[in-house]
Amino acid sequence: MPGLGTRESPPYISDVGMPLQPPVDIAQQVAHSVHLAKSGIAGLVLMGSTGEAIHMSRYERVELISGVRQGLDEAGYHEYPIMAGVLVNSVDETLEWLRDSAEAGAQWGLVLAPGYFGAAASQDNLVEWFTMVAENSPLPILIYNYPGVTNNLVVAVETYVKLASHPNIVGCKMSHGNVSHHVQVSLHPTIDHKSFRVYSGFGQQLGPIVMFNAAGVIDGLAAIFPKTIVQLFNLAAQRPADEKAQEEVRRLQWKVSSAEEFIVKNGILGIREAIFKVLGMGHLDGGRLPLKGSLPPGVWEQWSDALGQMVDQENSL
């Protein structure tokens, strides 16, 4: 891969000559990515929060993005969109991640709001921070607001409105439960909604927010049941919205929202286990510390009804 000689070479080795952590399984990531593309998912976010990018080295992140890009190309998905997560706080390191991602083949950067100090980051300073990143980024960026990993930092609606006018800021992802923020930004009269699109991180919000002009969701459940999520999106985005389509939206949204509770309660470990048990990809010993391993005994069985309905729905499509 071009340029990799300037980065540290993997893996980190212990004093006894053994790798400290297992290697990233790029082949499985490629297989999963191709499966999602074939199932109708419109694009991928790699190295986001669920992808555990923050637990990986610079070399590993670039190698993974490059490997998936190559795998998608070989499968015939030459123009398939890749958005790269950027999960650090300093402007300089954020731009380093963005340059690496661009070189590796990503087309956009999903840039986490710098929330190490939480609400101590003023909204004016967030505008200045994202503007500085956008003006120096080789990739168009989206604002990523995930209060759960940024000490409850919430990007205000007014901040989105100010940043939406920047030509290199093309959207946002809100991973929180405030549907009002999604709707206000998706419908704000001063935002050009052709050039600035709103995404949620929660599939349980898909139908409601798409009805009000949001672009869709970037959601963990779609990694397990992609056809169902695509079907729900397509029906919710249908215009004009007829009653028969809306009836199906309500039916699918209930199933999706019920299954999303599994994701809410079990997070990355739950997503990883579901991909293994439903799709047969990966294994249950993977993950990086401190998120290594599988769910406790009996947890998967507790969700057999909600997840079983999703399996049946997926197989029907």
Side-chain angles (χ1 to χ4, degrees), residues 212-227:
F212 291 98
N213 203 41
V217 297
I218 301 169
D219 169 57
L221 196 69
I224 311 159
F225 304 108
K227 294 178 183 178

Side-chain angles (χ1 to χ4, degrees), residues 224 262-263 265-276 293-295 300 307:
I224 311 159
F262 169 78
I263 306 296
K265 291 185 181 297
N266 298 290
I268 292 173
L269 292 180
I271 294 171
R272 186 188 305 141
E273 185 147 339
I275 290 172
F276 174 74
S294 58
L295 296 176
W300 178 260
L307 296 176

Side-chain angles (χ1 to χ4, degrees), residues 24-34 44 46 64 68:
V24 177
D25 192 338
I26 296 176
Q28 282 289 288
Q29 182 68 65
V30 168
H32 186 229
S33 299
V34 171
L44 297 177
L46 300 176
L64 179 59
V68 171

Side-chain angles (χ1 to χ4, degrees), residues 225-257:
F225 304 108
K227 294 178 183 178
T228 301
I229 300 299
V230 169
Q231 177 77 345
L232 174 55
F233 170 80
N234 288 339
L235 290 170
Q238 189 179 107
R239 300 292 183 273
D242 64 70
E243 180 55 32
K244 184 177 180 180
Q246 289 309 298
E247 182 179 348
E248 182 66 1
V249 166
R250 291 189 288 270
R251 186 185 74 86
L252 289 177
Q253 186 66 70
W254 179 82
K255 289 188 176 184
V256 167
S257 294

